[in-house]
Amino acid sequence: MAETWVRERALPQRAAHRSSQLCKITASHLAVSALRPLQVEIRHMLKADSFEVPVNSSFTEEKKQMNPLLTGGDMENKPEKDTDQNEEISYTNESPESVSLADASAEKATQGSDADLEVEDPEKAFAGITGAELYLEACRLLEVVPVSHFIQNLAKPYINLNHHGLGPKGVKAIAIALVSNTTVTHLELEDNCILAEGAICIVEMLRENSSLQELNISNNHLDTAGAEAIASLLLDNMSYLYALQLSGNNFGEETAPYFAEALMGNYQVKELDLSHNEFCEKGGQLLGQMLASNTTLEILDLSWNHLRRKGTVALGTGLRGNGALKILNLSWNGIGNEGALALGEALKVNNVLVHLDISNNQINNEGAKKLCRGLEVNGKLKILKMANNPLTVEGATALVMSVRKNPKSMMEEIDISNVLVNETFIKLLDFVCQTHPELDVIYGEVEGCIAKIPKQHPNPMKVIQNYLKEHNLRLWDFFRNIDKDGNMKIPVAAFRRAMMQQSSIPLDRVQIGELVHKLDRNRTGVVDYSHLKEQKAMEGKIEEEKKEEP
């Protein structure tokens, strides 16, 4: 009872204190780039509050009582005895101006506390204040509805807030809460209409935050101002981000210089998605110059832009001297045969790139042959995606022949899934796979027949099961024999190679392809047989029980 009385007496004083602080914060710290000062002010308020209530009362419970709407409460169903208390805490719905006039004396009483902020280390002075408390208070100040999913996951490494309609103010409240956060490493904010204003808040947060490593702010209408803010962050190497998704943000030619300059000296970001933007030929030329000097970027997605021929030629030139990029996506850019030629010339000297996607790029047989000049000598590329280009069996044959001519070829997958091939091509592919068993060529139908496993070929799983039965082996033992590393995960290329070399199990290329499809349905590139370990343990337990039976 005594604690309740103290609490009720403290609430009006707290209302005066917070309202006066609200006026000060609104006037001085709600500028876009003032996240750290704003967070310090909020922490100061929360710390001051903690001295006005009994020690064993919690901020969360008080929030539930002060604003039931945040927790799904219903004010109309409250008993009449709570009416007075509800009136006392109704300041949360009042305007800052009306409250501050009524509590001018309280504001004077708290003005002297500003000096403490300049002396104390904020991280030490407010160590007991949680990110959830900061976030709720920031939402109140910015007049936005808190997102419960964010509060519930603040202590976890991954938070997904895609498609939440946050807007600039909503994302600013989140940025305030994350300034000093040390647990969240991956944040998804796609499609929230945060605009350039929200992007600037995110940038300010990243300059302070030391834990966030992966960020997705795609499809947020960031435009030129947002691009400039992000590029300035990258240029200064002020964040710990290594993966950044910026797809679909209306970045045009005028933003290319910002990103090119920033990435030339950035040594943090390894994965960058700039797809579905509006980089044209000049943008491609600038990004090509960037590739020539960047030493960190490993994954770059420039699909669905307008790079065209000149832009791709510049990227190819930059790719020649690049020693870091492993995955490059240039699909849907209209690069044509000239772009294919430039990439082929780059592949002659580049010894790092392992995955190249040039699907949907108006490359015909002539362009494919120009690309093959690089494939015939390249010893690193593993995956080549060329689907939905106007190729015929002539271009398909040239691609397979480039692998045959290259004893150093590491090619594992060629995707030409729209190309109609013939029996001659199939025979060539079978022959090449004898020396390159890891190769998988994804093609369209075969002329004159449906591209399925011939009826005379038995199901590959049944072939393996029969083999195991004859040799008194389990499926676990079969996989363990193939798995050289012993980690219960076999790369698809290694699995193909091992199966082709299993002379005791007569499976052809098509059957092995079907087997891989069954064992790696999600196309992860890995055959995972770890689930068989539990099955093996269960079988062993059953055998032991049988032995113990009289």
Side-chain angles (χ1 to χ4, degrees), residues 214-230:
E214 300 178 67
L215 174 65
N216 180 8
I217 48 175
S218 299
N219 300 302
N220 272 298
H221 307 282
L222 303 187
D223 300 313
T224 303
E228 186 176 5
I230 294 167

Side-chain angles (χ1 to χ4, degrees), residues 2 27 47 60 65 167 192 196 238 245 301 311-312 320 396 407 412 429:
K47 182 184 178 184
T60 304
Q65 295 182 25
N192 275 289
M238 290 295 291
Q245 293 175 256
D301 189 347
T312 308
R320 294 183 190 183
E412 297 176 2
L429 182 57

Side-chain angles (χ1 to χ4, degrees), residues 257-277:
Y258 300 140
F259 286 110
E261 181 185 6
L263 293 169
M264 279 182 182
N266 182 273
Y267 52 80
Q268 296 284 356
V269 177
K270 294 183 178 181
E271 303 175 15
L272 180 62
D273 182 359
L274 288 171
S275 63
H276 290 268
N277 281 297

